[in-house]
């Protein structure tokens, strides 16, 4: 959403200043008429009625998603078998002994996703990057997560995409008038082509194989019709053997990065009660900047884990938590842009706090990486090549260091950002109740 205000603010400075008040008054009725006529052209199938929400299944690939707010007690829905997508059958899991119990979450952040791409590349170079049991992603994190899930062999994809990025690499801007009369100020067609290049049938098969070995990949979108987050089991999609699997996989990735208003939403075909509908999905960061989904099978009790490998959670935040003080111009667009920056930063901080509380409750080591205040590079426009290259290198350098991780949320740190503090296992977490613990994997997935 910051991107929208930044774009509108730039356009305003360049064009709107040239219009006189008289011309504004004469232009307004024309725009109104165009808007009214355009309303009839933006068509879609009917949205899923609220009473059929629980029955809606993606066409051809059922059983691959769920709505986290439906679950109040995760233990009641955890299963050792994950639902598959063909004929309501289930995919048995042949657990690999070396899967371990490490978790990775990659946050939203727009072009700041270059940080996560760089950090993963640098981390791989140290030879200490684990094979993650669970990987989750939101927004740009959803674009990174599948390749992070497949491991260092796919670091070159993250590197190539980041270092060749530019303003038109992911989205194509429309004119201001087209944006107002359409469903977004930009089209995600360039991103669609990019996904077709890198998310291939071979990649889908590799993800399916890892899913069958007991590893999970989750991506979050927002269903705007229902006004709720949706978590997609990408491994189940890949393992479904459905002819629609690859198309749905790419759709979900694109939807999770569809910033509402700024970028056109993604329409996903679903069936409920024998009728066809379309759901309108947008960026998962509308709901959360980052999430960490617990295991499809319950974690062993802390005492039982003492004899086995330790469980660790790694959170990569493509954001700067520093408030970055600056005077706000007394203009509508400037105020809006600053407000969205503040909202996003505070939301990200709250999400990290929730994950930290959840990890303390489950005695899982907490590890956090983010863009620190020492990164000071000009950011003249979104997806600026120089900015993204610099941020990739910054992340890569951090990833190659031994002190890349913080073990408390940023506001809990009183030392230098590069110095970790001991984790207070006895700290109270009563004030850190979190819906993250409710994200359970149900055999009644949608």
């Amino acid at each position: 959403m910051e991107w929208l205000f930044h774009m509108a603010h730039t356009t305003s400075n360049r064009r709107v200043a040239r219009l006189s008040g008289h011309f504004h008054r004469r232009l307004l009725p024309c725009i109104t008429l165009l808007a009214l006529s355009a309303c009839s052209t933006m068509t879609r199938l009917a949205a899923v009625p609220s009473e059929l929400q629980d029955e809606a299944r993606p066409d051809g690939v059922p059983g691959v998603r769920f709505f986290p707010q439906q679950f109040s007690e995760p233990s009641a829905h955890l299963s050792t078998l994950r639902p598959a997508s063909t004929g309501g059958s289930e995919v048995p899991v042949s657990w690999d002994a070396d899967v371990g119990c490490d978790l990775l979450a990659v946050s939203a952040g727009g072009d700041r996703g270059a940080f996560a791409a760089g950090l993963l590349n640098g981390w791989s170079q140290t030879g200490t990057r684990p094979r993650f049991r669970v990987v989750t992603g939101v927004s740009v994190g959803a674009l990174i997560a599948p390749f992070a899930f497949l491991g260092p062999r796919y670091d070159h994809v993250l590197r190539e995409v980041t270092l060749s990025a530019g303003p038109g690499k992911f989205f194509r801007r429309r004119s201001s008038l087209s944006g107002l009369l359409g469903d977004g100020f930009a089209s995600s067609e360039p991103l669609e082509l990019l996904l077709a290049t890198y998310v291939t049938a071979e990649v889908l098969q590799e993800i399916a194989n890892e899913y069958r070995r007991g590893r999970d990949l989750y991506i979050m979108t927002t269903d705007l019709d229902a006004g709720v987050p949706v978590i997609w089991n990408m491994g189940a999609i890949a393992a479904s053997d459905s002819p629609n699997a690859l198309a749905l996989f790419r759709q979900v990735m694109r939807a999770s990065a569809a910033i509402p208003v700024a970028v056109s939403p993604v329409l996903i075909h679903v069936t409920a009660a024998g009728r066809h509908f379309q759901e309108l999905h947008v960026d998962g960061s509308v709901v959360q900047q980052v999430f960490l989904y617990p295991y499809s099978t319950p974690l062993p009790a802390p005492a039982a884990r003492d004899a086995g490998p330790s469980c660790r959670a790694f959170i990569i935040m493509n954001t700067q938590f520093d408030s970055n003080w600056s005077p706000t111009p007394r203009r509508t667009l400037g105020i809006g842009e600053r407000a969205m920056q503040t909202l996003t930063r505070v939301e990200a901080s709250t999400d990290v706090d929730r994950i930290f509380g959840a990890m303390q409750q489950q005695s899982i080591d907490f590890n956090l990486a983010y863009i620190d205040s020492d990164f000071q590079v000009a950011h003249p426009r979104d997806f600026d090549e120089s900015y993204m290259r610099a941020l990739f290198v910054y992340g890569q350098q951090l990833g190659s260091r031994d002190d890349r991780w913080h073990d408390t949320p940023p506001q809990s740190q009183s030392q230098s950002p590069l110095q970790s503090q001991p984790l207070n296992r006895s700290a109270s977490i009563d004030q850190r109740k979190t819906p993250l613990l409710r994200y359970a994997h149900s055999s009644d997935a949608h």
Side-chain angles (χ1 to χ4, degrees):
M1 190 63 75
E2 295 176 43
W3 181 80
L4 169 64
F5 281 103
H6 181 72
M7 180 190 70
H9 185 62
T10 302
T11 303
S12 172
N13 289 338
R14 189 169 60 246
R15 297 176 181 173
V16 176
R18 298 200 297 264
L19 299 175
S20 67
H22 175 67
F23 186 59
H24 268 103
R25 288 192 296 272
R26 296 187 64 180
L27 184 62
L28 184 59
C30 298
I31 293 178
T32 302
L33 290 174
L34 285 170
L36 290 174
S37 64
C39 289
S40 62
T41 63
M42 299 301 296
T43 60
R44 57 172 288 194
L45 294 182
V48 180
S50 58
E51 64 271 16
L52 296 179
Q53 183 72 41
D54 292 344
E55 299 180 35
R57 305 290 189 270
D59 289 355
V61 197
V64 293
R65 66 180 188 172
F66 62 95
F67 305 102
Q69 81 283 358
Q70 293 178 347
F71 305 133
S72 58
E73 185 60 43
S75 61
H77 302 277
L78 297 172
S79 173
T80 57
L81 294 174
R82 276 86 57 82
S85 51
T86 51
S89 62
E90 292 180 328
V91 173
V93 177
S94 176
W95 299 99
D96 278 7
D98 62 344
V99 165
C101 57
D102 289 323
L103 304 93
L104 173 69
V106 187
S107 83
D111 57 4
R112 293 181 179 89
F115 170 70
L119 188 142
L120 288 167
N121 270 263
W123 193 4
S124 296
Q125 292 167 11
T126 67
T128 61
R129 180 174 152 187
R131 183 185 181 199
F132 299 105
R133 165 71 179 81
V134 175
V135 177
T136 72
V138 179
S139 193
V140 69
L143 304 181
I144 293 171
F147 303 106
F149 179 77
L150 291 176
R153 290 186 302 108
Y154 280 88
D155 282 353
H156 72 279
V157 173
L158 302 179
R159 183 169 58 250
E160 289 169 10
V161 173
T162 301
L163 298 183
S164 65
K169 183 78 172 184
F170 304 99
F171 308 111
R172 183 174 64 248
R173 291 187 179 184
R174 301 182 174 115
S175 68
S176 298
L177 185 60
S178 296
L180 287 170
L181 302 183
D183 60 358
F185 282 93
S187 163
S188 60
E189 289 179 6
L191 176 58
E192 188 174 8
L193 295 174
L194 201 65
L195 292 175
T197 300
Y198 289 104
V199 182
T200 62
E202 291 75 18
V203 166
L204 197 73
Q205 186 59 55
E206 289 192 48
I207 290 173
N209 292 341
E210 293 303 314
Y211 174 73
R212 293 188 177 99
R213 294 184 180 110
R215 300 179 61 219
D216 290 314
L217 170 64
Y218 299 104
I219 285 177
M220 179 183 287
T221 65
T222 303
D223 180 347
L224 273 190
D225 296 321
V228 296
V230 181
I231 294 181
W232 297 81
N233 185 337
M234 305 302 281
I237 295 175
S240 69
D241 295 326
S242 166
N244 298 330
L246 182 57
L248 179 61
F249 196 101
R250 293 170 178 168
Q251 269 193 314
V252 172
M253 290 182 67
R254 190 158 58 95
S256 187
I259 308 164
V261 182
V263 180
S264 295
V266 175
L267 292 169
I268 295 180
H269 291 264
V270 298
T271 301
R275 298 155 58 191
H276 296 285
F277 302 96
Q278 279 183 323
E279 295 176 343
L280 195 148
H281 285 257
V282 297
D283 199 317
S285 67
V286 169
V287 179
Q288 287 182 241
Q289 296 294 307
V290 66
F291 75 103
L292 191 62
Y293 182 72
Y295 291 77
S296 295
T297 53
L299 285 174
R305 289 205 304 266
D306 290 343
S310 61
C311 293
R312 301 172 296 176
F314 298 92
I315 319 300
I316 303 178
M317 297 299 298
N318 297 302
T319 189
Q320 283 183 302
F321 289 105
D322 190 294
S323 62
N324 191 25
W325 186 95
S326 67
T328 303
R330 192 178 176 184
R331 288 179 294 183
T332 300
L333 295 177
I335 292 171
E337 182 178 10
R338 185 61 173 170
M340 289 308 303
Q341 290 173 349
T342 302
L343 175 63
T344 299
R345 176 176 52 80
V346 172
E347 184 183 48
S349 180
T350 300
D351 290 341
V352 169
D353 280 351
R354 288 172 175 169
I355 292 175
F356 178 69
M359 296 302 97
Q360 281 201 318
Q361 188 178 54
Q362 298 187 32
S363 298
I364 296 175
D365 290 335
F366 175 88
N367 300 271
L368 172 69
Y370 55 86
I371 307 169
D372 223 326
S373 57
D374 60 343
F375 181 75
Q376 297 292 331
V377 174
H379 194 187
R381 57 180 179 172
D382 292 292
F383 299 101
D384 178 77
E385 298 95 322
S386 298
Y387 174 82
M388 292 185 69
R389 284 175 176 269
L391 189 52
F392 179 90
V393 171
Y394 173 84
Q396 187 176 37
Q397 291 175 345
L398 179 63
S400 64
R401 294 166 53 166
D402 293 332
D403 57 355
R404 69 183 74 90
W405 303 108
H406 306 268
D407 56 10
T408 58
Q411 61 270 32
S412 302
Q413 298 167 4
S414 58
Q415 301 180 27
S416 167
L418 293 180
Q419 296 175 333
S420 62
Q421 298 185 18
L423 184 61
N424 183 2
R425 295 290 190 188
S426 62
S428 171
I429 60 171
D430 291 342
Q431 302 303 315
R432 298 183 185 272
K433 298 293 186 183
T434 168
L436 294 167
L437 293 176
R438 300 175 184 170
Y439 292 172
H441 197 353
S442 170
S443 59
D444 190 30
H446 292 204

